[in-house]
Structures are given as C-alpha cells and as structure tokens.
Amino acid sequence: RKEVEQDPGPFNVPEGATVAFNCTYSNSASQSFFWYRQDCRKEPKLLMSVYSSGNEDGRFTAQLNRASQYISLLIRDSKLSDSATYLCVVNPPDRLDMRFGAGTRLTVKP
Amino acid sequence: NAGVTQTPKFQVLKTGQSMTLQCAQDMNHNSMYWYRQDPGMGLRLIYYSASEGTTDKGEVPNGYNVSRLNKREFSLRLESAAPSQTSVYFCAYGGVNSNQPQHFGDGTRLSIL
C-alpha cells in the first residue's frame, strides 16, 4: 500500500463548480499535512497547510479526518486558473522529509 | 522561483556519463532536499540534508551522491547515468519541524539516452 494515495482523476468541471479531492495516508502517526498545486512542467507550490480543526483560505477548504486517515480539499466557485494537479503531502513522524501523493489532475472548463 | 535556484534547467546525457545538478537557496535554511518526479508517481526523496555538513538517504538514493557544500548549496551527482534516471529533479528547502512546508526550485529536466 502506498503511503499517500490520491485519485489521479482527471476531474473535468465547468467554471463555477465545486469540486472535492480526497487523499488517504497509511501512517496513523503522521503529524502534518499539506496541499500543493503543480502546474504543467512547473514546480510544486504550497497551496495550504491542513490543520486538525480544518481551515479555509478563500475558495479553498482543507479538512483532516484522523480517524479515517484522510485529508480533503474543497474548491468552490472553480476558476479556469484552478486547472492544475493537486498534490497531497504528508509528513511522517520523526522525519524531515515528506511523502507525496501522485496528484489529482483538475481541468476547469469555460 | 524566489529562494531556490537550480541549474541546469535541462540536460541530455548519454548512458555512463556523469554530471552534477546544482541547487542554491538564499533563505538561510538549514534543511535541503533532492526529489525526483516521474510520470504517475509522487515526488520521491533521493537525499536530504538536515544541516550543513550532514546528509541522509531518502527513499531512492541508489545511483546518486550528494554534497552539502555550505549552508546555501546542496548538489546532486550522478556518477554513471542510466536511462532509469531520466526524470525531473527538484531541490527544496524547509520543513525543519513537522509543521513547516517545503519550498521547491523550478526543477532540472534530465534525459539519459
């Protein structure tokens, strides 16, 4: 079983739609979680951290469910510019390095 | 990408050739990392350096060596390139504790023929 698993998609949605991605992780002791965004042929860029109580940043909402070992990302009112691959990232305990999911590809269409 | 500079941006090598990928960060951060990214797979850690003078193996270290030359620079060397090392390589800094994210350079696209 992979340490971090994501549905690869692609998710194709119209502008203005709400879309949600889930990500599961295998190490129950993991302490920190992030969502990154990666545009085609570019580097991953931090989108948002995921906090235990859930957090929101504009149109983006991230949630953590420790009992079921998954994190989620909700994007409301999708924009064309949201088209990208979204990477789920988990930091295993007692390690500096991170574990990355393979990414979920989102295409927002006019 | 502000904070991290990777060189070169692109490189084509023949099997058996050697080369060094360079990475420098100007954020005065202790921790630096080298990842590779292959289609359909998440980024995989090759090596990391928690501080100047220390390096540790990551998930996929075979075929690579690293040098933490100083606090700014962390280089990745392929001694004898193989086609399986064709990939996009990213350098990153950050993550000194579990709540800090990492930040990436814009990558080196390496093809081995």
Side-chain angles (χ1 to χ4, degrees):
Chain A
R1 181 185 174 189
K2 291 182 181 178
E3 289 191 66
V4 181
E5 295 201 69
Q6 295 182 250
D7 180 346
F11 286 66
N12 298 307
V13 302
E15 266 186 298
T18 295
V19 61
F21 311 133
N22 283 338
C23 163
T24 59
Y25 60 96
S26 61
N27 191 328
S28 61
S30 297
Q31 292 297 315
S32 55
F33 309 88
F34 308 92
W35 283 103
Y36 279 70
R37 170 196 169 122
Q38 186 172 26
D39 293 293
C40 187
R41 301 181 69 78
K42 299 288 187 180
E43 74 276 18
K45 291 183 179 179
L46 177 68
L47 179 65
M48 59 196 303
S49 301
V50 185
Y51 302 123
S52 296
S53 56
N55 48 298
E56 189 174 305
D57 183 2
R59 297 181 293 109
F60 300 85
T61 300
Q63 292 194 319
L64 168 64
N65 185 317
R66 287 192 183 274
S68 300
Q69 293 179 217
Y70 76 84
I71 66 173
S72 63
L73 177 67
L74 181 77
I75 305 175
R76 291 181 299 278
D77 189 23
S78 298
K79 310 293 184 188
L80 297 177
S81 57
D82 293 334
S83 297
T85 296
Y86 291 84
L87 307 177
C88 170
V89 183
V90 177
N91 195 342
D94 302 322
R95 293 186 64 88
L96 286 178
D97 60 294
M98 296 181 169
R99 295 289 185 266
F100 286 76
T104 298
R105 187 171 174 183
L106 171 67
T107 300
V108 181
K109 299 186 175 182
Chain B
N1 184 28
V4 189
T5 302
Q6 286 186 237
T7 56
K9 296 288 189 285
F10 304 91
Q11 185 70 49
V12 179
L13 295 177
K14 294 181 180 179
T15 297
Q17 286 185 314
S18 62
M19 83 160 294
T20 299
L21 308 186
Q22 307 287 353
C23 175
Q25 52 107 357
D26 57 12
M27 304 303 290
N28 200 36
H29 210 285
N30 284 321
S31 303
M32 297 183 73
Y33 312 80
W34 276 105
Y35 290 88
R36 60 178 289 174
Q37 186 175 34
D38 302 294
M41 304 185 73
L43 278 78
R44 292 181 293 167
L45 184 69
I46 304 170
Y47 271 93
Y48 67 98
S49 170
S51 62
E52 183 180 351
T54 68
T55 61
D56 287 285
K57 294 180 179 180
E59 192 180 350
V60 288
N62 292 342
Y64 305 95
N65 286 302
V66 290
S67 295
R68 184 71 184 270
L69 305 171
N70 46 55
K71 195 171 186 178
R72 288 189 65 248
E73 298 172 291
F74 187 35
S75 62
L76 178 72
R77 183 163 178 83
L78 287 71
E79 291 290 351
S80 180
S84 61
Q85 293 178 304
T86 293
S87 189
V88 181
Y89 291 85
F90 290 103
C91 175
Y93 73 89
V96 69
N97 61 52
S98 63
N99 291 321
Q100 289 190 2
Q102 294 175 13
H103 301 278
F104 291 83
D106 54 10
T108 294
R109 283 158 181 78
L110 182 61
S111 293
I112 312 233
L113 307 178

